[in-house]
Amino acid sequence: MKADAGGPSRRAILKGGMAAATVLALPACETPTSGSSGGADMALGHRLRDGAFPEPVREERVPLLIAGGGVAGLSAGWRLREAGFDDFRLIELEDQPGGNARGGRNAVSAYPLGAHYLPIPNEEARGLRHMLRQMGVIVGERDGKPVYDPLQLCADLQERLLWQGKWQEGLVPRTGLSSKDEADLAAFNRTMADFSRRRDTEGRPAFAIPIAYSARDADLLALDRMSFAQWLDQQGWTSSVLRAHVRYACRDDYGTEPADVSAWAGIHYFASRRGFTADGSGDNELTWPEGNSRLTSLIADRLGDRITTGQVAFRARPDEKGAMVDVFDAQQGSSIRYRADAVILAMPHFIATRLLGEKPDAAYSYAPWLIANVTVDRAPEGKGSALAWDNVSASSASLGYVVATHQSDSHTGPTVLTWYMALSDMPPASARRLLVDRSDVDWRRLVRDDLLGMNPDLNGAIRSIDLWKWGHAMVRPTPGFLWDVAPRQRAAILPPFFRAHSDLSGLSLFEEAHYRGMAAAEAALSSIGHPHETLL
Amino acid sequence: MADASAPTERRRTALVGLLLASVFAVATCGLIYELLAGTIASYLLGDSVTQFSIIIGTYLFAMGVGSWCSRYVKRDELRLFIRVEILVALVGGWSAAGLFLLFPLVEQFRPILYGLVFVIGFLVGLEIPLLMRILRDRFDFSETVSNVLTFDYVGALAASLLFPLLLVPHLGLIRTGLMFGLLNVGVALLLLLLVPSRASLMRERILALVVMMSLIAGLLTAERIQRWSEIAAYGERVIYATSSPYQRLVLTRHDDDIRLYLNGNLQFSSRDEYRYHEALVHPAMGRVARPANVLILGGGDGLAAREVFRHPGVRHVTLVDLDPAMTRLFSQTGLLRALNGDALTDKRMHVVNADAFRWVRETKARFDVIIVDFPDPVDFSVGKLYTETFYRMLRPHLAPGGMAVVQSTSPLVAPAAFWTVAQTLETAGFQTRPYHVYVPSFGEWGFILAGLVDPGTTTRLLPGNRFLSDATARQALVFPLDMARRRVPVNRLDNQALVRSFAEEWARYEG
């Protein structure tokens, strides 16, 4: 009960003003923020590169082996079980399966360590929808379209942008635009809408998710041979507001600058999402406090004891009956030789080729990311629009933060903010070096300063900053990669080895990893003669 | 000779006139600053007799100290007078704004308040003797004393009449301070223009201009300062203010009227809250055969619980309020316990400090009556508690034959918002009966009864109500044309229509 709707803005201004004053008054006084630091198990990873593993001391036989427990490996396992095939094992080097979609938890909330949302799948993503129905994400059907669980759809307000000192709803600036900005934004939106509607003669969308369902028209595929920046230049779209928004999008989904992303990939971001749902909320996302780790945990639960953690494959060769894979068991400190009829290598290209003793394709590159989970005593506020799930600043080098409790609570008290930054403004190798060389104290300071720049009201409210470093977070869809390099690699896959990873598609998206997992599983099932009906 | 000295003479006469006028200005401004300090102290600290006594005493004493110190000024009285005038303009002009801004930030407010009053008193006390000494060459002694004191007292009268009649009601405290600061610095600037040019007063001129500009800037942004200084926004005396991680709680008191504000929004006025709480609780309770187990969501002030406990059959009340600071305040403070009749410390009361959205999702319990008394949907966070999803989660917790009631903002100010709540409850599977009553401090206010079956038009009321009679309860179900039902969307989690329509309608209402 209350009678004055003017309240919150006044409070926001009061607090903002006070906090700004305090920040100005105390520039030199800073308390070091505590927190942990983690990332992909680098020690094991580097050992893999150096080949320093003991030779196997025993052998085990398993009809089908999946090496790698990220989204692709788990999806492959899920697909095998769906086909009634239980005779497999999945090995994963980390303690927790989930790959980029892992999560963490503290006293305040669960939070993501990487991927944190899944857009409502398109009509073409049949396999994924099948899985979401099983997991209770899709709760029903109306007029032949799926109904999603409202608690798992991202709650309003989804996004806000800090633009010219004020938060506004949505991610595209709406005020203070020049006529050039407005004209370019409108033309860009029109063109993207046209691309989104376009179908080929077989009815395939121009830009689909997974991209395997996309049209192959020559003029479309030609877009993959130039950079997105080049293509935008060609259109004459030089508005700095449009270009900043496009840059945000490319860094957000690909960890890569528009100059390094192919135009096809860039357009895909804007023209591929046509969420298929009965509720007309098709442009929404599915999200959970722990991010996509909700999905990977649910798959892992279904796979149960077929998953063995702490095991890393370091050699894979064909043998007379199928394949042998040498695996190091970190807990026992010794190695095992698995003999299998079929092996699904669910790992990035640079690791899979090393295992197979092949030379990696130099066209593969990966974007490094830094993720920080920032625990705060009170929820961020700010002038203008209220706190959203995804909060982005137009003037920050980071990609902003998502609020972990956005889905679970109705209050705006203590929470965890997951802060993202793609280290895209330098070559990936340099960025990886920086990720390791810069001290955690300095990274935390950077995170804190960036966050306080967006939300001065958080001054004094930051309890801890937990860093998570991804050296190879995302495959980079550079020009020529999606429609030349990736198809070439896919064509080179030969039984008994099958490969599953989003880098076989070229876009580091849950949908792609899931598709490649299913595809590898179905191919493996065919090769060992297990009957199944395709979900692809 | 005579021709050459005439302009100088005219100038000298003007200077004398200005000096006498400045006595008037100094006296007026000085008293205004004193009144401002007294008023602000009464606002913020309460007990106006004590505050005004101490401030007047401190001010007069400081004036005495200033007068006494004037003996150490040996030369250049005019320059010093101008400097003091500029300083008074700065300190006095900004005093009200400064006190309001500092109040929430400092632990010890009194030393700052009395220190400020002392500084202003000291400076004003220094000015009068200085002026007498400057003027003593122009008049004889008795004339000087008579002139200065006359203007001094007339200035005091002007101030004491202007302050309550004109300044506080029309300008507000912050602007009044800044205005009189401008008057002070204006006098200083005029003096600087008229003073014989042999004295180099460049520094004073610059200083006066800087102070003047700061005061003008202050006046132009006074609205914003007012908003920053939350406290100035409350019309009444603040008796308690605290910030929890969830909200800002402020209690005010004006005579026997105690008011609670959360984040600046009025929650109740003790003068008419009985109307609100009787209307919230009894129509639902009176529709259930034997209400024994009651859930209250929100309502951490315990006032709804007080009404619930009036029903003799109630055995168990669960109250879920997010903020421990709120329930602690209303279960531990004597004044507030008297208001809620010790409802929060009752043996039958079970207080849960949790997020209602999460709690409702996780609990297994069932209740005969559910009273939903959340703050209005002012933002997306609270808005979640008005969604179809939330009401669907709530439905299984209503026992067969049970009844829920939802406070649903004003159907007069925000009809679309009000009917959105009804529409949303119905979509979630409830049958509803909306009603409305008049609560003076809120205006026309709305509630919605929600049952698994039609709540019907009759309720059994307890004897002893102050507001709600059978006739009132029946009448409340009737909606006049300006509040009549209209077509509205359902409020969903992923598309919070309610938050938007609520904000729009209230903004339009408040202009």
Side-chain angles (χ1 to χ4, degrees), chain B residues 9-316:
Chain B
E9 194 49 46
R10 264 209 302 281
R11 199 168 166 155
R12 204 164 276 163
T13 322
L15 180 62
V16 170
L18 182 64
L19 282 169
L20 285 176
S22 68
V23 176
F24 178 79
V26 164
T28 316
C29 294
L31 196 65
I32 292 282
Y33 300 142
E34 185 189 340
L35 291 170
L36 279 174
T39 312
I40 292 172
S42 311
Y43 258 21
L44 300 182
L45 305 171
D47 197 357
S48 54
V49 174
T50 313
Q51 297 311 333
F52 268 100
S53 294
I54 295 179
I55 281 172
I56 291 172
T58 309
Y59 185 76
L60 289 176
F61 169 70
M63 275 181 76
V65 176
S67 299
W68 191 78
C69 286
S70 69
R71 73 178 56 194
Y72 296 109
V73 179
K74 297 293 183 215
R75 56 195 170 81
D76 244 358
E77 288 106 341
L78 190 60
R79 181 196 294 270
L80 187 70
F81 176 78
I82 290 171
R83 285 188 178 178
V84 168
E85 191 68 12
I86 296 171
L87 207 56
V88 171
L90 180 70
V91 178
W94 279 102
S95 62
L99 287 174
F100 276 131
L101 287 176
L102 280 173
F103 181 68
L105 294 182
V106 294
E107 287 282 306
Q108 290 291 328
F109 182 65
R110 277 163 219 261
I112 291 175
L113 173 70
Y114 300 138
L116 191 70
V117 169
F118 188 91
V119 169
I120 297 173
F122 177 87
L123 293 172
V124 172
L126 196 59
E127 277 184 318
I128 301 296
L130 286 179
L131 264 173
M132 284 191 177
R133 277 160 60 184
I134 296 166
L135 289 171
R136 86 189 141 194
D137 305 336
R138 276 85 177 179
F139 307 101
D140 66 40
F141 179 69
S142 59
E143 210 182 333
T144 307
V145 173
S146 152
N147 276 340
V148 168
L149 291 183
T150 304
F151 280 104
D152 189 15
Y153 293 129
V154 172
L157 176 70
S160 50
L161 290 179
L162 281 175
F163 187 75
L165 298 180
L166 212 63
L167 301 174
V168 176
H170 293 290
L171 286 181
L173 297 173
I174 291 176
R175 269 208 208 94
T176 299
L178 293 163
M179 280 278 283
F180 280 81
L182 267 182
L183 187 60
N184 274 129
V185 77
V187 165
L189 270 174
L190 273 178
L191 283 170
L192 283 166
L193 287 177
L194 289 168
V195 157
S197 54
R198 71 184 143 82
S200 162
L201 292 167
M202 196 40 97
R203 223 189 287 171
E204 282 76 8
R205 285 202 183 105
I206 293 171
L207 209 64
L209 281 173
V210 169
V211 169
M212 187 168 208
M213 283 193 293
S214 93
L215 291 165
I216 290 174
L219 267 178
L220 291 177
T221 55
E223 201 74 38
R224 193 169 300 174
I225 297 173
Q226 185 101 9
R227 269 184 276 131
W228 278 349
S229 63
E230 165 198 46
I231 306 293
Y234 295 102
E236 315 95 33
R237 179 155 72 77
V238 172
I239 54 172
Y240 179 84
T242 190
S243 285
S244 78
Y246 307 105
Q247 56 199 347
R248 177 112 182 120
L249 293 92
V250 173
L251 273 173
T252 68
R253 182 173 193 171
H254 181 73
D255 297 333
D256 63 341
D257 184 14
I258 298 163
R259 289 173 177 236
L260 171 72
Y261 293 86
L262 296 181
N263 297 337
N265 296 317
L266 179 63
Q267 301 300 299
F268 69 78
S269 155
S270 62
R271 279 199 180 148
D272 58 20
E273 58 78 18
Y274 66 92
R275 277 180 160 242
Y276 178 93
H277 290 104
E278 284 183 9
L280 171 70
V281 170
H282 302 306
M285 294 288 282
R287 278 171 165 85
V288 177
R290 271 176 303 280
N293 202 2
V294 178
L295 171 66
I296 302 174
L297 298 172
D301 53 29
L303 299 173
R306 175 196 66 203
E307 296 298 317
V308 169
F309 280 127
R310 284 178 52 206
H311 291 256
V314 170
R315 285 202 308 271
H316 200 80

Side-chain angles (χ1 to χ4, degrees), chain A residues 188-450:
Chain A
F188 179 81
N189 289 338
R190 264 197 314 276
T191 309
M192 293 304 136
D194 289 345
F195 274 131
S196 182
R197 275 192 299 271
R198 182 168 156 181
R199 305 249 159 183
D200 70 1
T201 47
E202 293 168 45
R204 289 181 298 190
F207 295 88
I209 315 182
I211 66 172
Y213 298 120
S214 300
R216 305 292 201 275
D217 297 358
D219 64 319
L220 291 172
L221 298 195
L223 291 168
D224 194 44
R225 293 188 202 107
M226 68 172 90
S227 81
F228 197 24
Q230 255 176 321
W231 183 78
L232 291 165
D233 288 342
Q234 273 181 13
Q235 314 301 311
W237 293 332
T238 51
S239 149
S240 59
V241 172
L242 170 66
R243 297 301 278 261
H245 177 60
V246 161
R247 176 170 187 251
Y248 164 80
C250 290
R251 295 177 73 218
D252 192 45
D253 257 29
Y254 310 136
T256 308
E257 302 286 328
D260 300 325
V261 164
S262 89
W264 197 96
I267 296 168
H268 185 269
Y269 179 96
F270 294 97
S272 63
R273 289 187 189 166
R274 291 167 298 272
F276 185 56
T277 162
D279 287 321
S281 49
D283 55 351
N284 203 350
E285 290 99 24
L286 298 158
T287 188
W288 307 266
E290 67 271 41
N292 289 2
S293 132
R294 168 70 64 93
L295 297 174
T296 52
S297 307
L298 285 171
I299 306 177
D301 288 348
R302 290 178 80 85
L303 302 190
D305 61 4
R306 276 160 199 82
I307 299 178
T308 308
T309 55
Q311 290 200 343
V312 54
F314 61 90
R315 188 186 295 134
R317 297 285 182 275
D319 68 5
E320 31 323 321
K321 275 188 255 142
M324 51 154 257
V325 180
D326 291 344
V327 170
F328 177 69
D329 188 308
Q331 236 161 21
Q332 300 189 347
S334 63
S335 299
I336 316 158
R337 174 160 294 171
Y338 285 104
R339 292 202 181 267
D341 299 329
V343 174
I344 296 174
L345 297 175
M347 53 189 67
H349 176 83
F350 67 98
I351 298 178
T353 46
R354 188 165 295 131
L355 257 59
L356 293 165
E358 296 168 3
K359 209 169 123 48
D361 189 329
Y364 274 78
S365 65
Y366 296 84
W369 280 68
L370 176 70
I371 282 160
N373 276 289
V374 184
T375 306
V376 291
D377 290 329
R378 53 177 184 265
E381 299 180 351
K383 197 172 155 186
S385 157
L387 184 66
W389 168 65
D390 189 15
N391 303 267
V392 177
S393 163
S395 57
S396 159
S398 77
L399 293 161
Y401 59 85
V402 296
V403 180
T405 50
H406 182 81
Q407 293 295 93
S408 52
D409 295 348
S410 70
H411 68 71
T412 47
T415 187
V416 177
L417 310 175
T418 309
W419 177 97
Y420 290 84
M421 186 162 78
L423 281 68
S424 57
D425 56 354
M426 63 184 91
S430 315
R432 267 190 289 279
R433 181 115 307 276
L434 182 69
L435 206 51
V436 177
D437 285 352
R438 184 176 284 170
S439 74
D440 287 347
V441 173
D442 284 347
W443 277 124
R444 273 192 202 99
R445 192 169 292 144
L446 185 144
V447 174
R448 186 204 55 191
D449 290 351
D450 184 74

